[in-house]
Amino acid sequence: MTERRMIDILSSMPPELSEAVISRKVKGNEIWMEIPSSLLPPVASHIKNLWGAHLVTFHAVDNRALTGDFKLIVLMALSGEDDFVVLLTSVDPAFPQYPSLTPQIPCAEWYEREIMDLMGLRASGHPELKPLVLWDDWPEGIYPLRKDFDPAQIIPQEPHAYPYRRVEGSGVFEIPVGPVHAGVIEPGHFRFSVAGEPILNLEVRLGYVHRGVEKLSESTPYAKGVMLAERISGDNGFAHSLAYCQAVESLGGAQVPERALYLRTAYAELERIYNLLGDIGGIALDVAFNVAAQHAYILRERCMELNDFITGNRFLRGVNRLGGVWIDIPSDKISKILAQLVRFKLDIKEFSSLMLRSQSVLDRLETTGRIPLEVAKELELVGPVARASGLDRDVRRDHPYAAYRHLSFRVPLRREGDVNARLCVKLEELQESISLVEQALGSLPSGEITCSSFEVPEGRTAMSLVESPRGELVHWLISGKGGRPFRHKVRDASFHNWRAIEVAVQGEIVPDFPLINKSLNLSYAGNDL
Amino acid sequence: MLDIIRKGVLRKGIVTSDYPQEGTPRYAARLGFPKLRTDLCKAHHVCFRSCPTNAIQEREGEIKVDLGLCIFCAQCARSCPEGAWTMSPEIELAKRSRSDLLSSSSIENKSIQELGKSLDAMIGKVFGRSLAIREVDTGSCNACEVEVNALSNAVHDIERFGMHIVASPRHADLLLVTGPVTRNMERALMQTYKATPEPKLVVAVGACACSGGIFRESYAVRGGVDRMLPVDVYIPGCPPRPEAMIYGLMLAVGKLNDKSR
Ligand code: SF4
């Protein structure tokens, strides 16, 4: 199947592209093509446009010790089937440049800034190549993801001013917000240019939460990497550790027992439930509908208590392990959980009608923070945010993992792309998630919850996509020496979705910003790594 | 509106937890902090190797856990062939000094009831019946923020102790700091501290803020708030439960009382 697809793709390419392909192979459901870096933009955009593919991740590997060059890897998901295209290209260390993908694939913009920061490869033709995750006083010429970077060195401080975009004109002024915010949220900086109330431009400056996760992972043995993955983005920790475990399992060719797959599905949905309730409560709070907000927060608290009851941890930490899970759910517990879920369903139904019936609330939500479908496509948005704009994308259905292929669920979709649409999508997803937990626990196969321990050979590559509560995320691993990754690329859902906020607030008034922000529920920690 | 009240509020009854009046919270945290049964320990040292943060240390022949580093992951308990480690459900672990976080097998703490009793009086005396808290995230994974936010929900409701979270450090008596202090947040943290009026308290929340936690060795973090600021109370956990934070906050208020006396 995938073989056939590769041939179709190659024959669809104009001869100057297809003839330049250096090598190609099929590995599982991945089509690998090695191409010269000069052809990266035309080949990638050909596959995107003709095959409806979307960019999943784009990153660099320091391969100098092995093959004498840097590698660039572009991962794209083909639509329709569970197939992927991996474009591989080489960059000469003596001339660390490659042609930018951004003009053809706008979503590549942040990836290329990140590659410049961490690996020191310059995307020529990039419209705005400025720092993304490293701080303003980071000196030029030191790239933390290169293999010759010494983590113990004292890094000199060289203050640079960050080049913010400027909007000029009479009556235009700037409002800087953050990194320490008024609410209890993560740090980031927002630079608004406003003329009176309406927002003319917003520039987001992130990177405050950059903890060097990818570098740290290279010195972390796989078993401990699970704990690190749980701490990439706190409230999406189960999804991250699941993606990490799945990637390591596929590196080592491990077979995870059925029961563990069902349990993982149930845990992943329990994580989604408490996250969705938090988002919904946040939206209610930001339109000053306090009664509904408190209602949602009480429900959320109950969900976290349920997590605690099942696993001993409110965030489901310490649950995933390589080859399965640590914590089983005995049948007497299952009946208690199912009873609790029935109660949740009633509460959520009541809550939805409370939330959606109030005209003054709808006034604030409808048409606010619109993200049109074209923008969602251009920026490759993911998760509930994409689905609220009509972009029908869900990893659980499109690239099923764990036990999703055996369970039935709907993927709620809206077209309006406003705050209200995002709220409605989330309310519907909540019901689907509860049903998924019920299905997974109701049909839990018997047997082991983990496979026997396994070795991970050196020099293999594996990836794993997971639908986190915020949307598609990916972990990409290349195995190295000593039971540790050689390269570990993490791409959180928010790395794509952050770009949407700059579009969604245009022309809106400043007081609606917190509401729009909440409806997108973006992760700073997951983005900055 | 009546409908809303009937549906949203009345039907729920009282949801606020009775912590600390009832002592330990309803849920015994099964993944709490690790305790070693020395009678079972055969010194295989498997736990030393399995711990992701090197929190287990040997001092003067005794095996101790640095609760400031520990992320409560249970790897020690899961790896020990003798079953010598158990994950204790205790949550009242906050300490006033970093060195007190190095625990041996037993942990002694002031009882929460004891602390709670004199609390009202203390807050009243020092801050005119209220304690204003500002949270600063210096690079946490957001789990600590989720729990800090939970402090103000109807279940944990710290307003019942006269504590509330304020929007600006200029209004704050206490800074609740989370995260391993990334190099990117260093300046913002110092500025926030400077903007907070005296007398002020700093509480480090979670393994990252106490010690740098799992990120301690990264090029991108400073590792622990006390490298930058004087810390008054450390609250271990990854993340600490809301009740553990309430306990730590009470300890901090007690400390403030000592300070101003
Ligand atoms: S619980 Fe985890 S972090 Fe804490 S001592 Fe045990 S292994 Fe180390």
Side-chain angles (χ1 to χ4, degrees):
Chain A
M1 199 64 204
T2 314
E3 196 86 37
R4 172 87 246 141
R5 265 246 169 144
M6 177 171 78
I7 294 164
D8 288 348
I9 290 174
L10 281 170
S11 57
S12 75
M13 291 205 267
E16 69 272 20
L17 297 184
S18 61
E19 278 158 22
V21 174
I22 301 165
S23 72
R24 56 190 205 208
K25 65 172 180 203
V26 167
K27 184 187 147 218
N29 59 349
E30 298 157 21
I31 301 164
W32 284 67
M33 277 188 237
E34 199 182 339
I35 51 174
S37 69
S38 59
L39 290 187
L40 198 56
V43 172
S45 61
H46 174 85
I47 292 171
K48 177 182 152 79
N49 298 334
L50 200 71
W51 293 89
H54 77 271
L55 184 67
V56 178
T57 166
F58 176 20
H59 60 275
V61 182
D62 180 358
N63 230 29
R64 285 175 299 171
L66 301 171
T67 52
D69 57 359
F70 291 99
K71 298 282 184 211
L72 284 175
I73 295 167
V74 175
L75 172 65
M76 301 172 101
L78 294 168
S79 71
E81 307 263 346
D82 183 15
D83 284 338
F84 296 92
V85 172
V86 182
L87 299 177
L88 187 70
T89 179
S90 159
V91 176
D92 182 359
F95 190 67
Q97 284 204 5
Y98 61 96
S100 168
L101 277 179
T102 306
Q104 277 92 354
I105 302 179
C107 173
E109 190 192 336
W110 280 24
Y111 285 104
E112 290 175 350
R113 287 168 63 185
E114 188 186 50
I115 290 170
M116 182 67 215
D117 271 9
L118 302 176
M119 203 64 95
L121 309 181
R122 180 174 298 276
S124 57
H126 188 289
E128 229 183 352
L129 198 60
K130 52 190 184 183
L132 184 76
V133 292
L134 292 183
W135 43 101
D136 298 347
D137 62 9
W138 186 267
E140 261 178 59
I142 300 184
Y143 306 109
L145 278 185
R146 288 194 179 182
K147 292 291 174 188
D148 50 9
F149 172 80
D150 168 18
Q153 70 184 302
I154 310 243
I155 295 154
Q157 296 182 319
E158 285 174 15
H160 305 281
Y162 184 79
Y164 285 100
R165 261 174 261 142
R166 295 222 163 262
V167 179
E168 274 155 10
S170 70
V172 176
F173 60 97
E174 274 189 347
I175 313 176
V177 179
V180 180
H181 298 283
V184 179
I185 58 167
E186 300 178 77
H189 182 82
F190 302 110
R191 193 62 72 97
F192 296 96
S193 302
V194 297
E197 284 267 46
I199 301 168
L200 297 179
N201 186 54
L202 163 64
E203 183 166 1
V204 179
R205 167 83 168 112
L206 298 173
Y208 294 93
V209 199
H210 179 63
R211 294 148 295 164
V213 170
E214 291 180 5
K215 189 71 179 182
L216 210 51
S217 182
E218 291 175 9
S219 57
T220 307
Y222 296 116
K224 294 182 184 175
V226 182
M227 273 115 246
L228 184 63
E230 281 171 346
R231 285 154 184 85
I232 289 171
S233 169
D235 47 8
N236 284 214
F238 189 84
H240 272 287
S241 64
L242 181 55
Y244 181 79
C245 287
Q246 289 180 164
V248 178
E249 283 151 11
S250 98
L251 284 177
Q255 278 300 327
V256 179
E258 280 283 292
R259 187 175 177 89
L261 296 178
Y262 277 74
L263 286 170
R264 279 178 170 179
T265 310
Y267 291 134
E269 294 306 315
L270 283 167
E271 177 172 79
R272 196 179 321 276
I273 295 171
Y274 86 76
N275 268 281
L276 288 170
L277 282 166
D279 290 5
I280 293 164
I283 292 175
L285 196 68
D286 279 338
V287 295
F289 192 9
N290 256 311
V291 173
Q294 288 307 330
H295 202 111
Y297 288 144
I298 292 169
L299 279 173
R300 172 186 222 199
E301 187 68 27
R302 294 282 173 258
C303 290
M304 295 184 78
E305 282 170 0
L306 184 65
N307 292 346
D308 199 4
F309 167 72
I310 304 170
T311 65
N313 186 290
R314 287 161 57 89
F315 291 82
L316 303 166
R317 286 181 174 179
V319 172
N320 260 323
R321 67 185 292 183
L322 300 179
V325 290
W326 284 103
I327 294 164
D328 201 356
I329 312 183
S331 50
D332 57 322
K333 245 184 190 174
I334 290 182
S335 48
K336 282 195 192 131
I337 298 166
L338 293 179
Q340 178 76 21
L341 290 178
V342 171
R343 226 164 306 144
F344 277 164
K345 269 196 281 193
L346 291 175
D347 279 347
I348 285 163
K349 214 165 139 210
E350 213 173 80
F351 172 79
S352 307
S353 71
L354 176 71
M355 193 73 201
L356 298 174
R357 217 176 21 177
S358 160
Q359 200 49 52
S360 58
V361 171
L362 288 180
D363 269 352
R364 287 288 305 278
L365 305 181
E366 281 173 347
T367 70
T368 305
R370 276 208 67 220
I371 303 169
L373 178 59
E374 310 79 70
V375 175
K377 272 192 188 150
E378 195 173 286
L379 300 178
E380 312 279 27
L381 302 188
V382 295
V385 172
R387 296 191 282 271
S389 292
L391 191 56
D392 192 6
R393 208 170 262 177
D394 191 316
V395 185
R396 294 173 293 173
R397 181 198 59 203
D398 304 338
H399 311 283
Y401 53 96
Y404 286 109
R405 57 168 62 77
H406 309 299
L407 308 174
S408 75
F409 58 99
R410 258 175 357 101
V411 178
L413 205 64
R414 290 270 162 156
R415 308 211 163 276
E416 303 83 6
D418 54 7
V419 175
N420 190 47
R422 293 193 275 277
L423 174 69
C424 293
V425 162
K426 286 178 178 182
L427 282 168
E428 285 175 47
E429 284 191 5
L430 206 47
Q431 292 172 9
E432 294 300 318
S433 291
I434 293 178
S435 145
L436 277 167
V437 179
E438 287 174 336
Q439 292 177 50
L441 294 184
S443 53
L444 202 56
S446 55
E448 297 292 320
I449 57 165
T450 176
C451 67
S452 49
S453 68
F454 57 91
E455 292 292 315
V456 175
E458 206 190 315
R460 290 206 185 160
T461 306
M463 58 143 171
S464 168
L465 270 72
V466 162
E467 183 76 19
S468 74
R470 292 189 173 91
E472 172 197 281
L473 63 79
V474 60
H475 281 231
W476 176 284
L477 279 174
I478 302 174
S479 54
K481 285 192 179 56
R484 294 169 166 81
F486 177 73
R487 176 83 170 91
H488 180 192
K489 169 71 199 158
V490 181
R491 201 270 292 155
D492 187 69
S494 296
F495 194 76
H496 283 196
N497 285 359
W498 262 111
R499 309 273 313 278
I501 198 166
E502 297 180 348
V503 177
V505 300
Q506 292 225 349
E508 298 287 356
I509 55 173
V510 178
D512 271 341
F513 170 73
L515 175 64
I516 297 168
N517 191 11
K518 199 63 67 60
S519 75
L520 297 171
N521 183 23
L522 300 157
S523 165
Y524 302 64
N527 181 78
D528 299 350
L529 296 176
Chain B
M1 194 61 201
L2 246 179
D3 190 33
I4 289 174
I5 290 173
R6 199 164 52 231
K7 283 201 160 151
V9 184
L10 294 186
R11 267 200 41 189
K12 282 265 167 284
I14 295 170
V15 295
T16 309
S17 91
D18 37 24
Y19 184 83
Q21 275 75 16
E22 291 282 298
T24 41
R26 277 164 300 169
Y27 288 91
R30 270 143 308 134
L31 291 182
F33 85 98
K35 256 187 177 174
L36 182 67
R37 281 192 49 192
T38 38
D39 54 324
L40 293 179
C41 176
K42 295 229 174 76
H44 298 300
H45 287 202
V46 187
C47 50
F48 283 70
R49 290 189 295 275
S50 64
C51 176
T53 58
N54 297 327
I56 306 175
Q57 295 156 13
E58 195 153 6
R59 297 268 173 103
E60 293 130 22
E62 218 187 321
I63 295 178
K64 297 188 173 195
V65 176
D66 183 349
L67 289 182
L69 271 168
C70 176
I71 54 168
F72 296 23
C73 67
Q75 286 307 305
C76 44
R78 287 162 175 170
S79 66
C80 179
E82 310 296 331
W85 286 100
T86 47
M87 304 307 285
S88 154
E90 283 163 60
I91 49 152
E92 286 148 10
L93 304 173
K95 294 286 182 194
R96 290 179 177 190
S97 83
R98 180 71 180 80
S99 55
D100 286 349
L101 290 175
L102 198 66
S103 84
S104 54
S105 44
S106 69
I107 287 209
E108 273 142 51
N109 254 341
K110 243 191 195 174
S111 91
I112 186 79
Q113 281 95 339
E114 236 171 89
L115 272 174
K117 243 178 256 163
S118 48
L119 184 77
D120 285 350
M122 281 193 281
I123 293 188
K125 200 158 84 195
V126 187
F127 288 123
R129 286 214 309 269
S130 84
L131 180 77
I133 300 167
R134 172 81 284 245
E135 199 262 0
V136 188
D137 174 348
T138 67
S140 97
C141 70
N142 197 29
C144 285
E145 279 60 50
V146 170
E147 297 297 49
V148 171
N149 274 316
L151 289 177
S152 335
N153 71 21
V155 177
H156 298 290
D157 188 24
I158 51 166
E159 298 259 356
R160 67 200 153 112
F161 309 116
M163 300 176 182
H164 51 262
I165 292 170
V166 293
S168 162
R170 295 191 194 283
H171 307 153
D173 308 310
L174 183 149
L175 292 182
L176 206 54
V177 187
T178 66
V181 192
T182 60
R183 288 199 39 172
N184 257 358
M185 272 306 287
E186 205 180 311
R187 233 183 91 216
L189 173 65
M190 296 314 289
Q191 283 176 343
T192 310
Y193 182 73
K194 271 195 209 114
T196 313
E198 298 277 356
K200 56 189 159 193
L201 290 167
V202 176
V203 174
V205 176
C208 289
C210 288
S211 67
I214 202 165
F215 301 109
R216 189 172 83 264
E217 265 147 33
S218 170
Y219 64 89
V221 308
R222 287 290 187 216
V225 177
D226 59 6
R227 297 234 175 142
M228 324 288 305
L229 298 175
V231 171
D232 296 285
V233 167
Y234 297 82
I235 307 180
C238 190
R241 289 156 183 271
E243 293 91 349
M245 290 193 196
I246 293 176
Y247 177 83
L249 285 168
M250 291 189 170
L251 205 63
V253 174
K255 178 152 186 173
L256 195 82
N257 200 42
D258 299 346
K259 258 191 190 172
S260 61
R261 221 181 278 160

